[in-house]
Amino acid sequence: MPDRTYSISDLASEFGVTTRTIRFYEEKGLVHPRREGQKRLYSAADRVRIKLILRGKRIGMSLQESVEVIDLYDPEHNNEEQLHSLISTVREKRERLLQQKKDIDDMLAGLDEVQSLCEQALQDKPASPTTRNRQRR
Amino acid sequence: MPDRTYSISDLASEFGVTTRTIRFYEEKGLVHPRREGQKRLYSAADRVRIKLILRGKRIGMSLQESVEVIDLYDPEHNNEEQLHSLISTVREKRERLLQQKKDIDDMLAGLDEVQSLCEQALQDKPASPTTRNRQRR
DNA sequence: TCTCAAGTTTACGTTTACGTCAACGTAATT
DNA sequence: AATTACGTTGACGTAAACGTAAACTTGAGA
C-alpha cells in the first residue's frame, strides 16, 4: 500500500518528536501535508522528508541545510549551468561530510583510549576498598 | 617549545572564529586562560580544548556535550563505581557516533546518486543550446 | 448526549550560541 | 601628543528550534 497516510501523532511517535515539532517544520515550509478537513494527512513522501530532516539534525545540520540536501534529489535542474552548479554543491556537501567522518573517527579513537585506560585501572585494583573493609571486620 | 602561549586573536584566526566566540567559551567555563595583566594568555592545553570543542561542534554537539567528552580524558575517576559509569558513558557516546557515521554514509550514498544522475544528464545533451546557436550563426 | 482523545490555531517563552555596539585600557608607532 | 592596533568588560540583540499554555473543534465511543 504505497498510498498509505499518516496522522501527525503517528509520525511524532514514530520519530520520537512532538507534534509541535512537526507543525513547526510545516510553518517553516519543510513539509506540506494535505488536509482532510482540519486534520493534516501525511503521505509516504512527507514521512520520508521528515525522516531525512531528522537524519540531518543528528549530524548537526540546520533544518534549512537538510532541506537543501533533500532538494538536490528532485530534478528542478534543466539546463547545463544548473547541472554544473548542482555538481559543485554536491562536492561541497561531500567534503563537509568527509570532514565530519574524520572528526567522528578521531573522537572514537579517543573513546577507545579512555576505555582501555579504564579497564586497565580496574584490573590493577580488582578488589574495591569497601569490599576489603567489609571482609576485614 | 611546549610552553608556548597564544593571544586570543591568534586562536581566533587559527580556528576561524571571532574573539567574541572564545570569550564566550570562557564565560561558559569551557576554558580558563591565564592572565598577563589584563590580557588573556592561552596555553597549548587551552588551545587543544578549544580545538576539541570546535570539533564537537562540527558533528553537531552542544558546547556542554563537547566539554563532557573532553572531561572524560582527565582522571577524576578514582573508585570502581566511577570507572564503571565512565565506561558506560563511553559506550553511549560511541553508539551515537556510530549512528552519525551511518547517517553520513547514507547521505554520501545519496550524493553519489545525485551526481551520477547529473553527469548522465550532461552526457545525454553534450552541446548546450547556446553553443548550438552560436555555431549555427 | 456527553465525554474524551486527538487535533487545531495563536501567541508568548526559552535555550543555545554567539553578534554587535559602547566605552574604555595599554603598548607601540609616528 | 596623537594615532593605531589589540585588548578589555558590560549590556543588549538575534536567529534557530522548538516548548508551553490557552482556547477551540471534531469525530468516535460509553
Side-chain angles (χ1 to χ4, degrees):
Chain A
M1 45 186 81
D3 53 347
R4 196 199 143 173
T5 64
Y6 306 83
S7 77
I8 192 168
S9 45
D10 284 346
L11 296 184
S13 71
E14 177 180 354
F15 294 128
V17 300
T18 67
T19 60
R20 175 69 180 93
T21 298
I22 296 182
R23 280 189 214 102
F24 176 75
Y25 291 169
E26 185 176 348
E27 278 182 43
K28 292 286 160 172
L30 310 190
V31 278
H32 311 282
R34 306 200 326 268
R35 296 292 182 122
E36 185 177 22
Q38 179 94 312
K39 311 270 177 86
R40 290 164 170 84
L41 269 193
Y42 295 85
S43 69
D46 293 327
R47 180 176 161 280
V48 169
R49 273 185 84 85
I50 294 178
K51 187 172 187 157
L52 293 184
I53 290 167
L54 296 174
R55 183 187 70 182
K57 273 194 56 178
R58 283 198 300 275
I59 60 173
M61 286 184 163
S62 73
L63 300 184
Q64 284 311 320
E65 197 181 355
S66 287
V67 170
E68 208 177 302
V69 170
I70 292 169
D71 288 347
L72 295 179
Y73 287 86
D74 58 11
E76 293 170 351
H77 31 65
N78 305 314
N79 66 51
E80 192 169 350
E81 193 182 348
Q82 283 176 15
L83 283 169
H84 280 301
S85 92
L86 181 54
I87 286 181
S88 87
T89 302
V90 167
R91 194 175 45 74
E92 288 165 17
K93 300 290 180 192
R94 178 158 31 222
E95 276 171 18
R96 170 161 165 200
L97 290 174
L98 292 178
Q99 171 67 53
Q100 288 185 260
K101 271 188 84 165
K102 187 171 173 314
D103 287 330
I104 290 174
D105 283 335
D106 291 348
M107 202 170 296
L108 282 171
L111 292 183
D112 285 349
E113 204 173 326
V114 169
Q115 183 171 2
S116 64
L117 284 175
C118 265
E119 284 164 352
Q120 210 163 13
L122 284 173
Q123 287 297 325
D124 293 351
K125 41 172 176 177
S128 76
T130 21
T131 307
R132 276 189 182 281
N133 289 341
R134 269 202 293 273
Q135 281 176 341
R136 265 193 231 156
R137 278 234 149 252
Chain B
M1 43 188 84
D3 54 346
R4 195 199 145 174
T5 65
Y6 305 84
S7 76
I8 193 169
S9 44
D10 284 347
L11 295 184
S13 71
E14 177 180 356
F15 294 128
V17 299
T18 67
T19 60
R20 176 69 181 96
T21 297
I22 296 181
R23 278 188 217 103
F24 177 75
Y25 291 168
E26 186 177 348
E27 278 182 42
K28 292 286 160 174
L30 310 190
V31 277
H32 311 283
R34 308 198 326 268
R35 294 294 181 119
E36 185 177 24
Q38 179 94 315
K39 310 273 177 83
R40 289 163 170 86
L41 269 193
Y42 295 85
S43 68
D46 293 327
R47 179 176 162 280
V48 169
R49 272 186 87 83
I50 295 177
K51 188 172 186 157
L52 294 184
I53 290 166
L54 296 174
R55 182 186 70 181
K57 275 194 52 178
R58 283 197 299 273
I59 59 174
M61 288 184 162
S62 74
L63 299 183
Q64 285 308 321
E65 198 181 355
S66 286
V67 170
E68 208 178 299
V69 170
I70 292 169
D71 288 347
L72 296 179
Y73 288 87
D74 58 13
E76 293 170 352
H77 30 67
N78 304 313
N79 66 51
E80 192 170 347
E81 194 183 347
Q82 283 176 15
L83 283 169
H84 280 301
S85 92
L86 181 54
I87 286 181
S88 88
T89 303
V90 167
R91 194 177 45 72
E92 287 166 17
K93 300 292 180 191
R94 177 158 32 222
E95 276 171 18
R96 169 160 164 201
L97 289 174
L98 292 177
Q99 171 66 53
Q100 288 185 261
K101 271 188 82 166
K102 188 171 171 314
D103 287 330
I104 289 174
D105 284 335
D106 291 348
M107 202 170 298
L108 281 171
L111 292 184
D112 286 350
E113 204 174 326
V114 169
Q115 183 171 2
S116 65
L117 284 176
C118 265
E119 283 164 352
Q120 210 162 13
L122 284 173
Q123 287 296 324
D124 292 351
K125 41 172 176 177
S128 76
T130 22
T131 306
R132 275 190 181 281
N133 288 340
R134 268 204 293 276
Q135 281 175 342
R136 263 196 231 154
R137 276 228 152 260

